């Protein structure tokens, strides 16, 4: 799991710096830019739609692995909108809590079944 942890840390650090630079230059207006790209019917729009699918899937997984509890659904919604800036630290925390058990990491409350 050391490679996965390293990758998550690298992504989180790189994305944090990149996001800070973009916010300083362009502000926090992500949604209009994202939607404009999506509606453009260009490769940028195709990428945005594909990316939105991955974000929705990651949020659904986060909510599912906690049994769709209130906290799990909240974390899933945050994962859907915050992306890797939230998902990477969450995955690192879940790795620590799972004690290296991949089944427990991936299945959460469903690992007991």
């Amino acid at each position: 799991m050391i490679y996965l942890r390293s990758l998550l840390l690298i992504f989180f650090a790189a994305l944090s710096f990149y996001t800070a630079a973009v916010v300083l230059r362009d502000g926090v207006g992500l949604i209009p830019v994202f939607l404009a790209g999506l509606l453009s019917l260009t490769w940028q729009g195709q990428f945005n739609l594909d990316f939105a699918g991955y974000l929705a899937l990651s949020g659904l997984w986060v909510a599912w692995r906690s049994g769709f509890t209130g906290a799990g659904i909240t974390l899933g919604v945050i994962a859907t909108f915050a992306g890797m800036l939230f998902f990477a630290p969450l995955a690192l925390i879940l790795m620590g809590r799972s004690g290296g058990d991949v089944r427990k990491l991936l299945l959460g409350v469903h690992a007991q079944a």
Side-chain angles (χ1 to χ4, degrees), residues 59 62-64 66-80:
V62 168
W64 172 82
S66 69
F68 290 104
T69 61
I73 291 169
T74 300
L75 292 175
V77 170
I78 294 169
T80 298

Side-chain angles (χ1 to χ4, degrees), residues 11-98:
F11 265 117
F12 179 73
L15 197 52
S16 294
F17 286 115
Y18 197 96
T19 301
V22 171
V23 167
L24 287 173
R25 192 185 83 193
D26 295 337
V28 293
L30 169 66
I31 301 299
V33 173
F34 183 83
L35 291 176
L38 188 64
L39 296 173
S40 68
L41 293 178
T42 62
W43 281 114
Q44 182 64 49
Q46 188 276 344
F47 177 83
N48 288 3
L49 183 59
D50 185 55
F51 181 60
Y54 275 105
L55 288 174
L57 186 60
S58 73
L60 184 61
W61 174 76
V62 168
W64 172 82
R65 76 172 301 284
S66 69
F68 290 104
T69 61
I73 291 169
T74 300
L75 292 175
V77 170
I78 294 169
T80 298
F81 289 99
M84 196 60 130
L85 284 175
F86 175 78
F87 191 80
L90 177 65
L92 289 167
I93 290 167
L94 295 174
M95 282 180 198
R97 289 183 180 173
S98 71

